[in-house]
Amino acid sequence: LQKNGSNIKHWWIAHHYISMMAAVFMLTWPSSPSYTKMAKLIHLFGLYMGVAQFFQTRYQLARLYTLRSLGRASELDVSNSDSTQIHWSRGMNALLPIIIGGQLFQGYVSLTLFRYVAFLFFISIQIHKAA
């Protein structure tokens, strides 16, 4: 993308590589007690993010339509945080709780996974001390 003139940010490229690694991890995670404990929660989080992205896309399309009708954007412009300002409308009032809920849900999933990994690490240390 950078070679054809896109001004894609480096963090966006890194985000895609991390997402690919996470997808490979989920696809190759063997069926085990850890998988059964975390898979449902992680898949539910993915479903929630899909719904949040749907609402965010609807908001961005509405903002871009508004900017086009005011003559501030052309037909080929895309809506992003660099080119548009937050416009408090019904769409934003509906979107904000969804985004905040997603952040809280992500924190819960992260904390649950961390606690589970820490528990397994603690158990493995106890086993090695006993041996």
Side-chain angles (χ1 to χ4, degrees):
L1 288 173
Q2 290 176 332
K3 294 198 187 311
N4 68 5
S6 174
N7 65 350
I8 192 166
K9 307 285 188 231
H10 292 289
W11 67 266
W12 189 248
I13 295 170
H15 161 75
H16 278 82
Y17 281 111
I18 292 169
S19 297
M20 286 187 295
M21 287 187 301
V24 167
F25 179 72
M26 284 299 294
L27 288 171
T28 60
W29 195 349
S31 184
S32 64
S34 62
Y35 178 79
T36 56
K37 182 169 181 65
M38 292 305 300
K40 183 178 179 183
L41 189 60
I42 291 172
H43 291 303
L44 188 62
F45 177 71
L47 180 65
Y48 186 85
M49 285 291 95
V51 170
Q53 288 172 356
F54 172 78
F55 283 108
Q56 187 173 4
T57 301
R58 298 291 298 170
Y59 171 76
Q60 288 177 336
L61 286 173
R63 284 295 300 144
L64 189 56
Y65 177 77
T66 302
L67 290 174
R68 270 194 243 139
S69 66
L70 293 173
R72 295 184 189 162
S74 72
E75 200 59 38
L76 297 177
D77 284 345
V78 294
S79 178
N80 64 29
S81 60
D82 295 338
S83 65
T84 60
Q85 298 171 347
I86 294 176
H87 177 71
W88 291 101
S89 63
R90 275 187 335 181
M92 180 55 94
N93 289 336
L95 181 61
L96 198 56
I98 292 171
I99 292 174
I100 292 171
Q103 293 292 318
L104 294 173
F105 193 14
Q106 181 179 11
Y108 173 73
V109 170
S110 302
L111 184 60
T112 303
L113 184 59
F114 177 75
R115 288 173 57 193
Y116 186 68
V117 169
F119 175 74
L120 291 178
F121 181 71
F122 178 74
I123 294 295
S124 68
I125 288 175
Q126 295 301 322
I127 292 172
H128 288 303
K129 282 184 180 179

